[in-house]
C-alpha cells in the first residue's frame, strides 16, 4: 500500500481539503469521490475527453492526470462550477437549444472544453472551435459534432454581449404546439449541468460497504475446451467475497434469444451466461470475482487461472463455411439459417441476353459501436423482494424473457430499470451484462456492481455482423434494371443473437429500385469471432456497398450520370419492392429531384478543386429502411390524470440518447392539445418494468411509430373518459367523485398491417412502413498516402412528418458521422489490437466535416402517429456507400472490402498506376446460388399452411 497525502485544492472557486494516494489516484477519481460526478470516466485512457476539467486554466483530461502531478493549491473547474440549473452558463443553454445533448455522456467534457476555449478566445472561427476539440480529444459518438460547434459559436455571441440569454432560448410557437419543432429534450438540463447520474455515478454514490464489486475473468482465446477453472489463489486475495462460475448459476445458465423463424436450425439457446465446458470467442466470461472494492475484485480476477485445450479458431465466415470446418456448436451447422428471395422469371436467361451486366463481390467489416460509456450495471433486491437490475438495456421486457430461465427466476420476480445511458446504437439489446449482474446478486445475496473497463467492454459486447456479398445486376438499353442475382452471408460470430438480421439481405438488396426478376439467398453463419448484434440500420449497411457501387458501375458502363440512372429506376406510384410489397408513399423521385442541384454544384466544386496530388470526387447512394419489428409488433403505454391537473406518461421507450424523452413528450402534448396542457404539465415515468407497461425495444426505427400510435390510443381513451356532455372536460376531482378511472392503457399493434414473409420465396409485407433517403459525399484523396478525407456530406430523407426536429437532426448528423467511420476507419477484427476507441477507428471532429447538409421530404404516413414514422436507422443505411462511390469518382479506385483505409486506397492507386484493373474475387458462400435456389424450389424450407 502506498502513502496518503493531504492536499488543498481550489475546486469551483472554493478551497477544499482532501486526502489521496498520489501514486494510484487520478484527478477524476478524486473529484468523483467528492461527489463531482459530472466529470465522467469513459475510456479511462485519455482518448475521449469525457473527463475534461480546467486545471490552472488549461483543459485537462482528468482520468490520466495522476494526483502526484496536480500542484498543491491548484485551481480546478468542473462542469458543476460552470453553471447550475437555476443559473445556466450560455454554453450550457446553447447546448440545450442547438441539440448538443443526445446521450449526454460526453456533454460535460465538451462544455468544460468549450469554456476553456472561450476563456482564451471569445471570438473563434468554426475552424478554431473544431481544432480545439480535436486537440483536446473531445469525442462524441452521437451528434456528428456539428451541433456542438453551432452551440459554441452561439454561446460566444452571448458572452460577447451581441445576444442575450433570452435571445438564445427556444421560443414556444404562438399556438403552443411543440410537435414538428426544435423543442429541447427534457433530460438536457440535467446533462448540461453534470447532474445526470449515469450508471457509474449511481454505483459510486452507494453507501460505503453496501455493495460488492464485480470483476470479469475473460477468455483469452477464441475457441477452446475448458479443462478447469482454478480460483484457489484468487479466493485468498484481500476483500474477496466469492468467485462465481457457471456452477453457481441457479437456472439453465443460458441466454435464450430464439430466432423467431421456423426455418432456422438453432433454438437460440447456445450462449451460456458463464462459460461451461467450451470457450466460443475471445472475451467470453469464465468467472466473476465479487469483492469489497473494485480494485480488490480486479486484482483477484488476475489470479483466476483458466486451463484449456485449444480448438480450431474460425475467425471469419469464409473459413467456417469451408467443407472441412468443424461444427462450432455441436449439432448445429455453421450455416444455420438461410432465406431466399425469388421473384419474376428466369434470371439466368435475362442475364445472358441483357445488354448491360455488372457484378462484383464486396465485404464489410465487424463495426464496433464505440460508445463512450463502458457497460455498467447494479443488482439488488428491492422493497418487494424483486431482484432489481439497473442496466443499459434497450429492450427491457425482452431481456426479462431472454435471461430469466437462465438465472432461475420468473419474469415477475425480476425488475429491470434503464439507467441514463451513455449511448448504445444497438448493442444493449443483448441481455448478457444484465444477466451477469443478476447471477452475481443471486449467488452472493448482496447488491453487486459491475463496471467494465473499456477494453473489457469492447471484447464483451456484440458488434455489427460482417457481410460477404456476391451481386450481379442486368439492365436494358435504357438502363432499367431487369434482373439481379445475389448471395449474402452475415458473419454472426459465436452466437446466434438477433439472427433475423438476414431478412434484411432479401428485403433491401438493390432497394429502392424496381426489381422485376430476382433470385437471392441470405444466410447467417457461425464463427469464433465476437458475436454480432443489433447496430443502427441493422442488416442494411452490409449490402448497400454492393448494390450502390454496382449502380455506379452500371452508369459508367452505359455512359450515364449516376444520379440519372438511379432516377430512372427508383420506386414510383404503384411499384412493388423485391418482396412484392406495395408502398404507402413514393418519395424517391422528389428526393432525387431535390438533390440534383446540390449534386451538380458538388461536381463543379470537385472539378475546380481537384489537383494531381489531392483528388476530389463526389458520390451518391440511395438508402432505405423498415419501420417496426414486423409482424406482431406490439406496444403499450399508459396515461394518468393527476390531482393537480397534470398528466403522467408511463412507458418503456428506452432512451439510448436518441430521444425517448422528447419523443414521448411531443406525441403526448400533440394528443392532449384539447386539454390545453403546457409541456411542463406532462410528466414522464419511463423505463422501469415495475412501473411501466411494455412498450417494446428501442430498435428497428419502431419506437416513435409504435409508441406514438399507442399514445394516441391512450390519449383518446383518457379524453373520452374526461369528456362531459357539453364538450368540456372533467377535472381529476370530478373523475374520482364519479368513480371514473384516471389511468388508461394505450395499445398499438401491427396485426393487420404486416405479415410474415413467405420463407420459401421472400414475398410478403413484412413491415408497416419504410424510410427513404439519398446520400451525397464529397471527398478528397491524398494520392501519396491513400488517405481519404470527407469534406462534405448531404442527406435528404423522408421519415414522414418530423415529430421532433431537434431529435431528427441529431440522428441524421450522428448517422452520417458513423457512416464516415464505417467507410474509412472503424473495425473490430484483431482482438489483441482493437481494444480502445482510437485503435478501433473512432472518428474525431476533424474526421467529420463541418459541412453536413440535412434536408427532409415529409410525406405524411397514413398509418403513422401524426403522419410520422421513425428516423434513426435511415441515416446509417448507405452514407458509407456514397463515400466509396466518391473515392472511385475521385481516383478510379473501387473499394471491395471495408473500411477504405489509406493502405487499401493506396494499393488501388498503385494497381491503376501499373495499368492493371481492380477486380473483386467472387466469394464461395457455402453453395452454388443457382443450385441452392433450385433445390429450395424442389424442397421448400418450410411447408406453408
Amino acid at each position: 500500500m502506498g502513502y496518503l497525502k493531504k492536499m488543498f485544492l481550489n475546486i469551483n472557486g472554493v478551497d477544499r481539503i482532501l486526502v489521496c494516494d498520489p501514486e494510484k489516484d487520478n484527478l477524476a477519481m478524486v473529484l468523483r469521490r467528492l461527489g463531482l460526478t459530472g466529470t465522467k470516466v469513459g475510456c479511462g485512457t485519455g482518448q475521449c475527453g469525457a473527463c475534461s476539467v480546467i486545471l490552472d486554466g488549461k483543459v485537462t483530461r482528468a482520468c490520466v492526470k495522476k494526483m502526484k502531478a496536480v500542484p498543491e493549491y491548484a485551481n480546478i473547474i468542473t462542469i458543476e462550477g460552470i453553471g447550475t440549473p437555476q443559473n445556466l452558463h450560455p454554453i450550457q443553454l446553447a447546448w440545450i437549444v442547438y441539440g448538443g445533448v443526445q446521450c449526454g455522456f460526453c456533454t460535460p467534457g465538451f462544455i468544460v472544453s468549450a469554456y476553456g476555449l472561450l476563456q482564451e478566445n471569445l471570438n473563434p472561427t468554426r475552424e478554431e472551435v473544431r481544432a480545439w476539440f480535436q486537440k483536446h480529444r473531445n469525442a462524441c459518438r452521437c451528434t456528428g459534432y456539428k451541433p456542438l460547434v453551432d452551440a459554441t459559436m452561439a454561446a460566444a455571441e452571448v458572452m460577447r454581449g451581441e445576444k442575450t440569454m433570452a435571445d438564445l432560448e427556444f421560443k414556444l410557437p404562438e399556438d403552443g404546439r411543440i410537435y414538428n419543432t426544435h423543442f429541447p429534450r427534457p433530460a438536457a438540463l440535467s446533462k448540461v449541468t453534470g447532474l445526470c447520474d449515469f450508471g457509474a455515478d449511481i454505483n459510486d454514490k452507494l453507501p460505503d460497504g453496501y455493495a460488492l464489486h464485480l470483476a470479469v475473468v475473460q477468455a483469452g482465446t477464441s475457441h477452446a475446451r475448458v479443462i478447469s477453472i482454478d480460483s484457489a489463489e484468487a479466493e485468498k486475495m484481500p476483500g474477496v467475497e466469492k468467485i462465481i462460475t457457471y456452477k453457481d448459476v441457479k437456472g439453465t445458465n443460458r441466454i435464450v434469444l430464439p430466432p423467431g423463424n421456423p426455418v432456422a436450425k438453432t433454438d437460440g439457446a447456445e450462449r451460456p451466461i458463464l462459460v461451461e465446458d467450451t470457450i466460443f470467442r475471445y472475451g467470453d466470461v469464465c468467472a466473476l470475482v465479487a469483492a469489497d472494492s473494485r480494485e480488490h475484485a480486479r486484482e483477484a480476477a488476475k489470479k483466476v487461472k483458466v486451463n484449456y485445450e485449444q480448438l480450431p479458431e474460425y475467425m471469419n465466415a469464409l473459413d467456417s463455411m469451408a467443407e472441412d470446418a468443424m461444427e462450432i456448436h455441436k449439432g448445429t451447422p455453421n450455416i444455420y439459417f438461410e432465406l431466399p428471395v425469388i421473384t419474376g422469371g428466369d434470371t439466368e436467361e435475362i442475364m445472358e441476353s441483357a445488354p448491360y451486366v455488372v457484378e462484383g463481390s464486396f465485404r464489410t467489416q465487424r463495426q464496433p459501436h464505440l460508445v463512450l460509456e463502458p457497460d455498467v450495471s447494479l443488482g439488488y433486491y428491492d422493497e418487494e423482494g424483486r431482484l432489481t437490475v439497473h442496466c443499459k438495456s434497450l429492450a427491457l421486457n425482452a431481456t426479462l424473457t431472454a435471461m430469466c430461465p437462465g438465472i432461475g427466476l420468473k419474469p415477475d420476480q425480476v425488475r429491470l430499470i434503464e439507467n441514463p445511458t451513455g449511448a448504445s446504437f444497438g448493442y444493449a439489446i443483448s441481455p448478457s451484462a444484465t444477466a451477469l449482474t443478476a447471477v452475481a446478486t443471486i449467488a452472493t445475496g448482496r447488491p453487486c456492481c459491475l463496471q467494465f473497463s473499456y477494453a473489457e467492454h469492447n471484447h464483451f459486447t456484440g458488434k455489427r455482423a460482417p457481410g460477404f456479398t456476391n451481386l450481379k445486376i442486368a439492365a436494358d438499353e435504357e438502363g432499367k434494371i431487369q434482373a439481379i442475382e445475389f448471395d449474402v452471408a452475415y458473419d454472426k460470430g459465436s452466437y446466434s443473437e438477433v439472427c433475423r438480421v438476414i431478412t434484411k439481405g432479401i428485403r433491401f438488396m438493390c432497394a429502392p429500385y424496381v426489381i422485376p426478376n430476382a433470385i437471392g439467398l441470405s444466410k447467417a453463419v457461425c464463427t469464433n469471432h465476437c458475436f454480432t448484434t443489433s447496430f443502427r440500420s441493422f442488416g442494411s449497411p452490409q449490402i448497400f456497398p454492393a448494390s450502390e457501387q454496382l449502380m455506379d458501375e452500371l452508369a459508367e458502363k452505359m455512359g450515364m450520370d449516376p444520379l440519372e440512372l438511379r432516377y430512372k429506376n427508383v420506386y414510383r406510384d404503384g411499384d412493388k419492392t423485391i418482396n412484392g410489397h406495395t408502398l404507402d408513399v413514393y418519395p424517391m423521385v422528389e428526393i432525387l429531384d431535390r438533390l440534383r442541384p446540390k449534386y451538380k454544384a458538388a461536381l463543379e466544386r470537385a472539378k475546380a478543386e481537384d489537383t494531381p496530388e489531392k483528388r476530389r470526387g463526389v458520390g451518391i447512394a440511395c438508402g432505405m429502411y423498415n419501420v417496426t419489428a414486423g409482424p406482431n409488433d406490439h406496444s403499450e403505454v399508459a396515461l394518468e390524470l393527476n390531482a393537480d391537473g397534470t398528466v403522467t406518461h408511463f412507458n418503456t421507450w428506452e432512451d439510448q440518447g436518441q430521444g425517448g424523452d422528447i419523443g414521448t413528450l411531443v406525441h403526448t402534448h400533440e394528443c392532449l392539445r384539447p386539454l390545453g396542457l403546457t409541456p411542463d404539465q406532462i410528466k414522464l415515468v419511463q423505463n422501469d418494468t415495475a412501473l411501466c407497461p411494455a412498450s417494446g425495444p428501442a430498435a428497428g426505427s419502431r419506437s416513435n411509430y409504435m409508441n406514438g400510435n399507442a399514445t394516441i390510443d391512450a390519449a383518446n381513451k383518457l379524453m373520452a373518459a374526461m369528456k362531459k356532455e357539453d364538450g368540456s372536460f372533467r377535472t381529476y376531482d370530478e373523475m374520482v367523485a364519479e368513480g371514473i378511472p384516471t389511468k388508461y392503457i394505450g395499445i398499438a399493434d401491427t396485426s393487420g398491417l404486416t405479415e410474415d414473409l413467405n420463407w420459401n420465396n421472400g414475398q410478403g409485407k413484412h413491415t408497416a412502413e419504410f424510410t427513404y433517403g439519398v446520400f451525397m459525399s464529397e471527398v478528397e484523396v491524398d494520392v501519396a498516402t491513400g488517405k481519404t478525407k470527407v469534406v462534405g456530406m448531404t442527406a435528404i430523407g423522408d421519415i414522414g412528418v418530423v415529430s421532433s426536429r431537434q431529435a431528427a437532426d441529431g440522428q441524421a448528423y450522428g448517422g452520417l458521422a458513423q457512416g464516415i467511420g464505417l467507410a474509412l476507419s472503424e473495425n473490430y477484427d484483431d482482438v489483441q489490437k482493437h481494444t480502445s476507441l482510437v485503435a478501433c477507428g473512432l472518428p474525431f471532429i476533424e474526421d467529420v466535416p463541418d459541412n453536413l447538409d440535412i434536408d427532409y421530404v415529409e410525406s405524411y404516413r397514413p398509418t403513422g402517429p401524426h403522419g410520422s414514422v421513425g428516423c434513426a436507422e435511415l441515416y446509417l443505411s448507405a452514407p458509407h456507400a456514397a463515400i466509396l462511390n466518391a473515392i472511385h469518382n475521385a481516383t478510379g479506385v473501387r473499394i471491395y472490402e471495408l473500411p477504405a483505409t489509406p493502405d487499401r486506397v493506396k494499393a488501388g492507386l498503385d494497381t491503376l498506376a501499373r495499368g492493371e484493373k481492380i477486380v473483386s474475387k467472387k466469394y464461395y458462400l457455402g453453395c452454388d446460388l443457382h443450385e441452392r435456389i433450385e433445390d429450395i424450389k424442389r424442397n421448400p424450407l418450410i411447408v406453408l399452411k
Side-chain angles (χ1 to χ4, degrees):
M1 180 178 289
Y3 67 94
L4 298 181
K5 180 181 179 181
K6 181 209 75 175
M7 295 184 71
F8 279 101
L9 297 175
N10 185 283
I11 302 175
N12 296 328
V14 177
D15 288 334
R16 304 284 295 268
I17 185 172
L18 55 90
V19 178
C20 65
D21 183 328
E23 296 290 335
K24 289 186 177 181
D25 288 346
N26 60 50
L27 181 55
M29 293 166 60
V30 168
L31 292 170
R32 291 177 64 80
R33 281 206 298 264
L34 292 174
L36 299 172
T37 53
T39 302
K40 308 301 179 189
V41 178
C43 65
T45 55
Q47 294 185 5
C48 73
C51 62
S52 295
V53 299
I54 308 290
L55 173 61
D56 285 337
K58 301 295 182 183
V59 176
T60 302
R61 280 161 275 170
C63 78
V64 290
K65 190 71 172 180
K66 288 291 187 181
M67 288 306 297
K68 65 181 180 181
V70 177
E72 186 90 25
Y73 305 112
N75 284 283
I76 297 167
I77 300 173
T78 71
I79 185 68
E80 293 89 347
I82 290 177
T84 67
Q86 296 78 22
N87 188 25
L88 289 174
H89 190 279
I91 302 173
Q92 293 168 314
L93 178 59
W95 238 256
I96 293 173
V97 173
Y98 281 85
V101 181
Q102 287 193 37
C103 84
F105 191 80
C106 74
T107 297
F110 262 102
I111 289 175
V112 168
S113 187
Y115 180 87
L117 166 64
L118 297 180
Q119 293 302 301
E120 291 186 15
N121 179 3
L122 199 52
N123 193 20
T125 64
R126 294 184 71 88
E127 291 73 22
E128 288 171 334
V129 174
R130 287 165 56 81
W132 179 273
F133 289 146
Q134 181 76 22
K135 172 185 174 182
H136 292 286
R137 305 301 278 179
N138 291 110
C140 178
R141 188 59 165 160
C142 299
T143 64
Y145 297 106
K146 186 179 186 295
L148 311 184
V149 181
D150 293 341
T152 305
M153 299 299 287
E157 290 184 291
V158 176
M159 294 171 69
R160 292 194 302 266
E162 297 165 10
K163 287 185 178 179
T164 66
M165 291 286 275
D167 294 330
L168 188 57
E169 290 174 350
F170 174 82
K171 306 297 188 300
L172 200 67
E174 288 186 9
D175 64 0
R177 189 182 189 219
I178 63 172
Y179 197 84
N180 197 235
T181 73
H182 288 87
F183 191 85
R185 298 165 184 252
L189 180 63
S190 66
K191 291 177 178 178
V192 301
T193 51
L195 300 177
C196 178
D197 285 326
F198 291 80
D201 308 327
I202 294 170
N203 291 0
D204 286 351
K205 291 175 181 177
L206 292 171
D208 191 36
Y210 180 76
L212 295 172
H213 294 267
L214 305 175
V216 292
V217 178
Q218 291 183 288
T221 184
S222 296
H223 198 197
R225 185 171 293 109
V226 177
I227 298 170
S228 65
I229 299 176
D230 182 358
S231 61
E233 189 176 356
E235 289 168 354
K236 299 173 185 176
M237 294 288 287
V240 171
E241 176 92 2
K242 188 174 180 63
I243 310 295
I244 302 159
T245 69
Y246 78 92
K247 296 177 182 178
D248 298 295
V249 181
K250 306 300 183 185
T252 63
N253 190 40
R254 285 291 183 276
I255 291 169
V256 183
L257 288 161
N261 192 295
V263 174
K265 298 174 183 176
T266 177
D267 60 3
E270 74 282 350
R271 182 176 185 180
I273 297 172
L274 287 165
V275 167
E276 295 173 352
D277 57 358
T278 306
I279 292 165
F280 292 108
R281 56 110 185 193
Y282 193 97
D284 269 348
V285 177
C286 301
L288 289 166
V289 176
D292 61 355
S293 72
R294 190 174 299 128
E295 182 181 7
H296 282 157
R298 289 189 171 279
E299 288 302 312
K302 297 174 185 176
K303 302 296 183 181
V304 177
K305 297 181 178 65
V306 181
N307 302 305
Y308 60 84
E309 174 192 348
Q310 187 67 48
L311 294 172
E313 296 179 348
Y314 300 97
M315 299 304 283
N316 68 70
L318 298 180
D319 292 340
S320 66
M321 285 188 289
E323 291 183 3
D324 61 348
M326 68 179 288
E327 283 185 347
I328 293 172
H329 293 284
K330 188 175 291 187
T332 301
N334 290 345
I335 302 174
Y336 57 84
F337 192 10
E338 62 178 354
L339 294 173
V341 64
I342 305 168
T343 187
D346 188 331
T347 58
E348 280 191 284
E349 184 178 316
I350 295 169
M351 294 283 178
E352 288 176 4
S353 61
Y356 297 106
V357 177
V358 290
E359 62 182 316
S361 296
F362 302 83
R363 178 176 181 172
T364 60
Q365 74 273 40
R366 184 174 277 97
Q367 186 187 17
H369 298 74
L370 298 181
V371 300
L372 301 191
E373 180 199 29
D375 219 305
V376 59
S377 48
L378 166 66
Y380 58 89
Y381 288 94
D382 72 2
E383 66 277 12
E384 295 188 21
R386 288 173 296 209
L387 174 66
T388 301
V389 183
H390 290 243
C391 56
K392 289 184 72 173
S393 176
L394 64 76
L396 291 168
N397 290 280
T399 294
L400 286 175
T401 58
M403 81 171 187
C404 280
I407 65 174
L409 294 176
K410 296 177 181 178
D412 62 4
Q413 296 175 292
V414 181
R415 176 185 187 181
L416 297 184
I417 299 169
E418 186 203 3
N419 284 332
T421 293
S424 161
F425 311 112
Y427 89 82
I429 201 168
S430 172
S432 48
T434 308
L436 288 176
T437 304
V439 161
T441 305
I442 295 168
T444 62
R446 296 271 305 278
C448 288
C449 299
L450 175 59
Q451 186 172 342
F452 288 84
S453 71
Y454 204 87
E456 291 167 345
H457 163 91
N458 217 26
H459 293 316
F460 181 73
T461 55
K463 308 293 182 282
R464 187 189 299 284
F468 298 83
T469 301
N470 300 318
L471 174 62
K472 191 174 184 180
I473 303 176
D476 65 16
E477 293 85 351
E478 297 181 354
K480 293 276 285 186
I481 298 173
Q482 298 301 299
I484 67 170
E485 297 177 346
F486 68 89
D487 198 358
V488 55
Y490 291 88
D491 179 342
K492 285 294 293 147
S494 47
Y495 305 116
S496 65
E497 182 171 301
V498 291
C499 60
R500 64 182 180 276
V501 67
I502 73 168
T503 67
K504 312 301 180 179
I506 63 168
R507 291 164 62 198
F508 293 112
M509 185 63 77
C510 291
Y513 310 118
V514 179
I515 310 295
N517 306 284
I519 61 167
L521 196 62
S522 182
K523 62 197 72 174
V525 185
C526 183
T527 69
N528 288 121
H529 216 308
C530 180
F531 78 98
T532 60
T533 189
S534 297
F535 196 156
R536 187 186 217 160
S537 306
F538 183 58
S540 67
Q542 290 91 329
I543 57 177
F544 279 114
S547 62
E548 286 301 305
Q549 288 197 92
L550 285 188
M551 287 297 285
D552 263 31
E553 289 198 17
L554 181 60
E556 184 177 9
K557 202 168 190 178
M558 296 185 64
M560 183 181 290
D561 181 88
L563 187 148
E564 301 309 328
L565 177 67
R566 289 171 170 81
Y567 192 80
K568 187 180 290 287
N569 284 281
V570 293
Y571 301 136
R572 287 169 168 80
D573 286 358
D575 285 334
K576 295 182 178 181
T577 71
I578 195 174
N579 312 110
H581 180 167
T582 303
L583 306 171
D584 282 346
V585 296
Y586 290 87
M588 284 306 303
V589 168
E590 182 179 351
I591 288 171
L592 290 176
D593 280 337
R594 195 172 293 190
L595 177 68
R596 189 176 282 105
K598 297 173 185 279
Y599 172 64
K600 289 180 178 178
L603 289 174
E604 289 299 317
R605 279 194 299 274
K607 183 178 179 181
E609 297 170 10
D610 184 67
T611 69
E613 297 78 23
K614 299 287 180 72
R615 305 305 308 275
R616 289 290 186 114
V618 180
I620 60 174
C622 292
M624 183 174 171
Y625 204 73
N626 60 262
V627 176
T628 77
N632 304 312
D633 197 351
H634 186 86
S635 170
E636 296 185 12
V637 307
L639 290 179
E640 182 174 23
L641 178 65
N642 303 316
D644 60 357
T646 62
V647 171
T648 301
H649 186 133
F650 300 83
N651 68 33
T652 54
W653 184 339
E654 297 92 354
D655 197 345
Q656 311 286 292
Q658 82 284 6
D661 60 343
I662 188 62
T664 297
L665 180 62
V666 297
H667 278 297
T668 308
H669 186 263
E670 184 73 0
C671 291
L672 298 179
R673 288 187 74 203
L675 299 183
L677 298 177
T678 57
D680 62 348
Q681 290 178 296
I682 297 169
K683 313 299 181 184
L684 308 183
V685 175
Q686 298 183 276
N687 300 317
D688 182 334
T689 61
L691 303 176
C692 306
S695 308
S701 285
R702 63 171 295 284
S703 295
N704 184 77
Y705 180 90
M706 295 299 296
N707 297 335
N709 278 328
T711 300
I712 291 173
D713 185 47
N716 288 340
K717 290 172 179 174
L718 174 61
M719 290 191 294
M722 294 173 66
K723 200 82 172 275
K724 297 179 181 178
E725 289 185 5
D726 63 3
S728 63
F729 293 97
R730 294 178 176 87
T731 65
Y732 174 87
D733 290 336
E734 289 173 326
M735 298 274 282
V736 172
E738 295 180 46
I740 301 173
T742 57
K743 187 174 184 179
Y744 293 87
I745 298 291
I747 297 172
D749 197 282
T750 58
S751 298
L753 292 175
T754 58
E755 62 189 16
D756 267 334
L757 294 178
N758 178 323
W759 304 119
N760 294 323
N761 61 21
Q763 300 301 296
K765 184 180 180 180
H766 198 259
T767 189
E769 295 284 355
F770 291 98
T771 55
Y772 310 82
V774 67
F775 304 90
M776 181 178 73
S777 174
E778 301 173 63
V779 306
E780 178 183 87
V781 180
D782 186 318
V783 174
T785 64
K787 181 175 176 59
T788 300
K789 182 176 180 64
V790 178
V791 296
M793 289 289 291
T794 297
I796 302 175
D798 189 325
I799 56 173
V801 177
V802 178
S803 54
S804 164
R805 301 197 79 84
Q806 190 187 85
D809 286 352
Q811 292 302 290
Y813 291 136
L816 294 182
Q818 290 180 356
I820 291 169
L822 177 57
L824 301 179
S825 61
E826 295 176 23
N827 202 2
Y828 178 80
D829 182 55
D830 185 332
V831 296
Q832 301 298 330
K833 173 185 174 183
H834 292 144
T835 59
S836 69
L837 292 164
V838 170
C840 287
L842 173 75
F844 285 84
I845 192 167
E846 290 192 349
D847 300 310
V848 178
D850 197 35
N851 177 22
L852 297 179
D853 182 12
I854 305 300
D855 195 7
Y856 302 100
V857 171
E858 298 185 68
S859 301
Y860 186 93
R861 298 299 197 276
T863 69
H866 311 114
S868 66
V869 278
C871 70
E873 260 71 34
L874 172 68
Y875 293 103
L876 193 45
S877 60
H880 55 310
I883 294 168
L884 301 179
N885 281 335
I887 292 172
H888 182 268
N889 179 252
T891 65
V893 173
R894 178 64 66 198
I895 299 296
Y896 292 100
E897 182 175 350
L898 271 67
T901 51
D903 59 315
R904 284 180 175 151
V905 176
K906 186 65 169 66
L909 288 166
D910 292 344
T911 298
L912 295 178
R914 293 193 299 268
E916 300 172 9
K917 188 175 180 181
I918 301 171
V919 296
S920 62
K921 183 179 179 181
K922 189 173 183 178
Y923 296 120
Y924 175 73
L925 301 182
C927 66
D928 176 87
L929 173 63
H930 292 92
E931 290 179 1
R932 183 66 186 125
I933 291 296
E934 289 304 314
D935 182 48
I936 291 171
K937 288 178 179 178
R938 291 190 299 268
N939 303 288
L941 297 173
I942 183 171
V943 177
L944 300 174
K945 294 180 180 179

